[in-house]
Amino acid sequence: MPRNEPYRPQFHFSPVAHWINDPNGLVYYKGEYHLFYQYHPQSTVWGPMHWGHAVSRDLVNWNELPIALYPDQHGTIFSGSAVVDWRNTAGFGPQALVAIFTHHQSRGDTQSQSQSLAYSLDSGRSWTKYAGNPVLPPTNRMHDFRDPKVFWYGAAEKGHWVMCLAAGQLILFYKSPNLIDWEACGGFGFGHGSVEGVWETPDLFELPVEGRDETRWVMLVGVNQGAPAGGSGQQYFIGHFDGESFTSQNPKGVALWADYGADFYAAQSWSDVADGQRLLIAWMNNWVYARQIPTGVWRGEMTVPRRLSLAQTADGIRLRQQPVAVAQVLGLQELRESGVIIPAGGVFAPAMETGSLWEMRAEFATGEVQRGDFGLRLTWGDGCIVTVTYRDGFLIFDRTRSGAVGFNADFPAAHRAPLALDDGTLRLQLFVDHSSIELFANDGLLSLTERIFPDARPLQISFFAGDAPVTLTALSLQRLAAAQFAA
Ligand code: FRU
């Protein structure tokens, strides 16, 4: 199927047609990264949810497969996770893939949510719902009771399954020997972090701290409202988990954000990845305008997957996100420059082949004391412009004139992320696809993910200096080929 409609992403996953939101059921098994997702197969707006399905062997090229989970008598299929049940604890069969998801039912003004299982014995190609569903029935006390994230905690023989569940502004923990019988054990929230919106789609995992003989647990929580760029966004907590409950080491009123752009939500990590890597992907959208973005037969796409680690910074331990090596798979011509001095008020425009898909890496040196502003400008034709500016301790992504912006009043905006430049150096890595930009600063310590809808015209990149000169110490501009999306 040709994928050449306006705004169609060429190296980000999108479905051939119809609506998607959250990534679900991320699990690695026998060489394949499974990506399930919230899917409405009859419409380009949200509705009765199914789990759509795609697989990839390299996290760049994707193969869309038939729908995995359909609504049934217990409700529609909301978000959740998947694991490989290596020791057959549930008794579904050897090496069953087990999906743990929310069954959702609307009843007039109220809703009922319960947690259920399905399993596959053929690498996710066909699924059987567990006959005893739901395994966690709805409760009258909790209107929001959803998005189970399940993982194995502890040693192979002595550990147990853990389920994290979003309930209003709490994350509840349950434990189980077999994925079927669950016992409530702890909770986290109680005023920690951002509490402006409802909490959704939790994730929890342990990571080593770079350069230290220590680990920390990272809890990711989607917050629908109140994110730095407005609307939905992704906060995280660093702390400890003892198998039953999580304790945050962030000060209570402080929210840490995994991304400062407007379009990074419901982030989830893959289970069972060989060699213990932690890989994350998010829905590249925002509930404020998700139903209105001006794409055609499909609506919704995912970010580039990112490899996670923990860095010790002056402010404390922080999440580092490094995109998978897209250019290794799709890289075409590369242009390199170094030592380009841009005078105050000046512009540097590298001579490059036109093309619309790019990865860019740039390093700017401002001297010890950063004075003026500087940055880069992306221009499609003469009318669509995105600027990325470093000014007064903030990285600012401005999409007010980025093309089609009028579909929602909140879309055209400039979003700011705080970023200290310790030695006056700013390193940027940027991916430009047909309707998105992902920006990583200082080796992934900051990320900013944004949808844009520019005209399909050749893209020009230029760099500018404001009141003071800046040196572009290193620049790499690499054209990318389109990924393959078999369907
Ligand atoms: C998050 C979310 C989840 C829910 C799903 C429904 O974007 O609201 O909490 O399970 O989407 O599609």
Side-chain angles (χ1 to χ4, degrees):
M1 268 235 208
R3 289 183 165 240
N4 51 13
E5 307 97 327
Y7 312 133
R8 175 65 92 170
Q10 300 296 318
F11 61 94
H12 289 84
F13 177 79
S14 64
V16 167
H18 302 125
W19 165 276
I20 67 168
N21 55 289
D22 314 357
N24 295 151
L26 305 179
V27 64
Y28 177 81
Y29 182 62
K30 288 196 175 161
E32 290 180 323
Y33 295 92
H34 290 266
L35 166 65
F36 301 88
Y37 40 84
Q38 289 288 280
Y39 185 49
H40 186 355
Q42 280 99 35
S43 172
T44 52
V45 292
W46 189 88
M49 285 290 109
H50 300 54
W51 274 24
H53 189 194
V55 289
S56 173
R57 292 189 167 270
D58 58 10
L59 295 167
V60 176
N61 299 298
W62 291 94
N63 187 6
E64 191 172 336
L65 296 173
I67 291 174
L69 298 176
Y70 286 81
D72 57 35
Q73 73 275 19
H74 300 294
T76 58
I77 315 295
F78 269 22
S79 287
S81 51
V83 293
V84 186
D85 187 5
W86 294 106
R87 294 186 308 112
N88 198 13
T89 61
F92 295 147
Q95 298 187 15
L97 296 186
V98 182
I100 308 96
F101 57 90
T102 298
H103 262 127
H104 168 88
Q105 273 181 329
S106 296
R107 296 207 191 91
D109 287 348
T110 82
Q111 63 184 20
S112 139
Q113 299 185 330
S114 55
Q115 319 315 319
S116 290
L117 307 179
Y119 60 92
S120 168
L121 300 172
D122 58 358
S123 292
R125 276 19 182 215
S126 67
W127 290 84
T128 307
K129 304 250 182 59
Y130 171 55
N133 279 342
V135 292
L136 258 190
T139 129
N140 293 334
R141 286 179 297 120
M142 278 168 299
H143 174 80
D144 295 298
F145 186 60
R146 60 175 176 269
D147 306 343
K149 171 70 186 195
V150 169
F151 60 92
W152 182 262
Y153 176 85
E157 301 297 329
K158 291 200 188 126
H160 57 257
W161 295 105
V162 172
M163 182 195 292
C164 310
L165 212 54
Q169 291 178 336
L170 291 179
I171 302 302
L172 304 177
F173 303 104
Y174 295 80
K175 64 179 181 175
S176 169
N178 57 10
L179 295 165
I180 292 170
D181 304 300
W182 292 94
E183 180 193 336
C185 47
F188 170 72
F190 308 104
H192 277 269
S194 169
V195 289
E196 268 188 62
V198 64
W199 287 16
E200 301 183 313
T201 59
D203 199 352
L204 179 62
F205 45 83
E206 189 177 19
L207 283 176
V209 183
E210 290 168 7
R212 292 216 201 164
D213 198 13
E214 287 176 47
T215 63
R216 289 289 184 284
W217 286 77
V218 180
M219 164 145 274
L220 280 164
V221 178
V223 203
N224 191 357
Q225 266 177 45
S232 49
Q234 198 69 49
Q235 65 173 330
Y236 71 95
F237 302 89
I238 304 278
H240 299 279
F241 182 68
D242 62 6
E244 304 207 345
S245 207
F246 175 80
T247 341
S248 171
Q249 73 182 52
N250 308 358
K252 193 167 184 183
V254 170
L256 301 180
W257 298 97
D259 195 283
Y260 280 86
D263 298 293
F264 188 86
Y265 196 57
Q268 288 284 300
S269 68
W270 265 273
S271 178
D272 294 282
V273 174
D275 72 17
Q277 290 188 72
R278 196 44 74 169
L279 297 161
L280 189 78
I281 195 168
W283 178 43
M284 199 153 47
N285 220 331
N286 192 312
W287 276 118
V288 169
Y289 46 71
R291 296 167 178 85
Q292 297 162 329
I293 56 173
T295 58
V297 295
W298 86 101
R299 206 181 252 126
E301 60 190 77
M302 300 298 173
T303 61
V304 162
R306 304 157 179 210
R307 193 160 283 121
L308 301 182
S309 53
L310 288 179
Q312 178 69 56
T313 73
D315 298 326
I317 298 173
R318 295 289 182 269
L319 197 59
R320 192 196 288 287
Q321 301 176 57
Q322 288 173 307
V324 298
V326 174
Q328 241 172 46
V329 182
L330 303 178
L332 301 172
Q333 307 97 304
E334 186 184 8
L335 178 145
R336 284 174 182 258
E337 298 276 357
S338 59
V340 180
I341 298 168
I342 310 174
V347 172
F348 167 65
M352 61 181 213
E353 296 284 307
T354 56
S356 51
L357 309 173
W358 290 92
E359 178 180 350
M360 188 208 80
R361 288 170 193 256
E363 184 178 282
F364 300 85
T366 64
E368 283 302 302
V369 183
Q370 190 263 312
R371 286 169 294 154
D373 53 353
F374 62 92
L376 62 107
R377 189 171 291 119
L378 307 176
T379 317
W380 293 257
D382 47 16
C384 306
I385 300 170
V386 163
T387 54
V388 177
T389 308
Y390 188 78
R391 183 191 302 134
D392 300 333
F394 286 89
L395 196 60
I396 305 160
F397 186 102
D398 187 341
R399 65 178 183 188
T400 49
R401 292 185 293 156
S402 55
V405 296
F407 54 88
N408 182 292
D410 288 325
F411 186 84
H415 301 131
R416 292 150 47 101
L419 179 65
L421 301 186
D422 296 335
D423 56 358
T425 304
L426 172 65
R427 277 184 298 281
L428 294 181
Q429 181 179 7
L430 190 129
F431 289 95
V432 186
D433 200 339
H434 285 169
S435 55
S436 65
I437 293 184
E438 278 162 283
L439 176 63
F440 300 89
N442 287 2
D443 310 308
L445 280 178
L446 186 136
S447 105
L448 218 143
T449 301
E450 301 266 350
R451 300 302 304 274
I452 48 163
F453 301 96
D455 296 348
R457 281 187 280 179
L459 168 65
Q460 297 298 322
I461 300 182
S462 61
F463 299 85
F464 61 87
D467 299 342
V470 69
T471 304
L472 201 47
T473 42
L475 172 67
S476 147
L477 280 171
Q478 182 150 33
R479 283 191 63 187
L480 300 174
Q484 284 169 21
F485 297 97

